Amino acid sequence: MKILDSVAPLAESHDGFILDIWGVLHDGERPYPGVPEALAELRARGRRIVLLSNAPRRSWTVQAALEEMGLGAGLFDGIVTSGEVAWTLLRDRTHPFFAKLGTRAFHIGPERDLSVIEGLDIALATAAGEADFVLNTGPDFAHGRQSTAPYMPMLEAAAAARLPMVCTNPDRAVMVGGQRLICAGAFADRYLELGGEVMEIGKPDPMVYETVLAALDLPPSRIVAIGDTPHTDLAGAAAIGVDAVWALTGLAGDNLGPDPSPTLLDAEAAREGVAPMAALRSLRW
C-alpha cells in the first residue's frame, strides 16, 4: 500500500473530502500537528470538506468543541454526526425501527450526550423496567471509560425487559490524549450477546452519508474519505463508492504502531475486508 506523507497529492486528484474527526483532525484534546494548515490549504484551493463523525451528539456541539481547539467553521463546509442523524430519526419516526419506539428512554451514557434528544418528546426513565427503549451514547465518567464490565448490570436489566437499543455511535473504541477508551459500539456488542435488538446509527451505514454527499455535490470519483478506522471509515467509503485513505493516526497508530510497513497495512486491510487507495501518515500539507 502506498503511504502518503502529505494530503497535497489528494488535492490534485480529488475535489471533495469526507474527513473523520477523532483520530484524523485531533486526538480528543488538541489538533494533530499541521491539521489547521492542511485544512486551510485545501480550502484555499477550492476543495470542499465535510466532516463526518460517529460522535453521539448533535453537530452543533461538535462544532463548538472544534472551535475551542482552534478549528473554526471557516476550515470546512459542514459537519454531520451520527448523533445528528439519530436525532432526526427520533424526531421523524418514519424509519421502521424508530416508528415502533415509545417515548421513554433508558439512557446509558454521559449527560453531555443528551443533545441527541433535545426538543423531542422523549423522557428519561431512571430504570430499564420503566423504559420503552435504550438510548446508548457510550460510557460515562462515573462508571469508567475503559471497560464494559461496570455497565453489564444495566445492559442485563435492559435485555431482561426486552428493550430495543438505539446506539448512536457504532465505534468500539477511540483514542483520547493517547489513551484508548471504549465507545457505544462496545455496549452494542455486549447487548447483542445478551440477545438484545440493536440499531446502530453511524458509519459505515450509507444512510449517514446522504447529507454529506448532498453537501459536496460532486461525482463519487472526485471524492475521497479519510479515516483511521477500517470497519467504519474505510468500509463506509466503499459502501458509497468513493475512494478511501487510511489515516495512520488515532486508532490506526495505536493498533499498528507509529510506522507500519506497506506489507502490514495490506495484510490488515485484507483482514478487515477493505481496500483503501493509500494510507496517510497524518493530515498535514
Side-chain angles (χ1 to χ4, degrees):
M1 185 181 303
K2 184 177 182 179
I3 301 178
L4 303 175
D5 292 313
S6 163
V7 74
L10 297 174
E12 297 299 321
S13 56
H14 297 80
D15 300 311
F17 289 74
I18 303 173
L19 303 182
D20 186 29
I21 299 179
W22 277 261
V24 175
L25 300 189
H26 64 70
D27 67 357
E29 295 180 345
R30 59 187 61 84
Y32 291 114
V35 165
E37 295 81 5
L39 294 176
E41 289 286 351
L42 289 170
R43 293 283 282 167
R45 285 160 174 75
R47 301 304 181 259
R48 301 177 189 175
I49 302 170
V50 177
L51 311 184
L52 178 59
S53 171
N54 276 351
R57 298 172 288 283
R58 295 195 66 187
S59 298
W60 69 264
T61 69
V62 173
Q63 180 165 331
L66 290 175
E67 288 175 352
E68 290 182 0
M69 294 184 187
L71 300 175
L75 294 175
F76 45 86
D77 293 280
I79 301 176
V80 176
T81 67
S82 57
E84 189 74 33
V85 175
W87 181 87
T88 302
L89 291 167
L90 287 166
R91 179 196 64 188
D92 296 345
R93 303 287 179 134
T94 55
H95 187 286
F97 182 90
F98 289 85
K100 68 182 180 180
L101 298 180
T103 60
R104 296 171 298 170
F106 178 58
H107 181 218
I108 298 177
E111 186 176 350
R112 68 176 184 176
D113 292 343
L114 290 178
S115 64
V116 75
I117 59 170
E118 65 181 353
L120 303 181
D121 183 23
I122 295 176
L124 295 180
T126 57
E130 302 169 354
D132 300 313
F133 69 97
V134 179
L135 178 64
N136 168 20
T137 67
D140 58 45
F141 290 93
H143 294 85
R145 304 165 70 193
Q146 294 180 308
S147 171
T148 60
Y151 299 86
M152 290 308 297
M154 287 182 279
L155 295 170
E156 290 165 354
R162 302 181 64 84
L163 301 182
M165 172 185 283
V166 176
C167 173
T168 60
N169 179 356
D171 290 349
R172 272 55 186 174
V174 69
M175 297 300 295
V176 177
Q179 185 179 28
R180 190 183 186 96
L181 305 177
I182 58 172
C183 294
F187 296 155
D189 286 344
R190 301 289 83 75
Y191 203 61
L192 288 170
E193 291 170 359
L194 293 169
E197 181 184 12
V198 177
M199 169 62 74
E200 294 188 1
I201 306 300
K203 298 176 285 186
D205 189 342
M207 178 175 59
V208 303
Y209 289 85
E210 293 174 1
T211 302
V212 175
L213 294 175
L216 291 173
D217 191 24
L218 292 165
S221 62
R222 300 300 298 177
I223 299 172
V224 62
I226 302 176
D228 66 317
T229 308
H231 78 272
T232 54
D233 300 307
L234 306 186
I240 61 168
V242 304
D243 289 333
V245 169
W246 195 354
L248 300 182
T249 42
L251 283 172
D254 186 59
N255 292 334
L256 305 175
D259 189 23
S261 67
T263 301
L264 175 59
L265 292 174
D266 285 334
E268 284 297 305
R271 188 178 67 82
E272 293 280 358
V274 295
M277 63 175 290
L280 177 65
R281 294 194 189 278
S282 63
L283 190 71
R284 67 181 67 185
W285 195 261

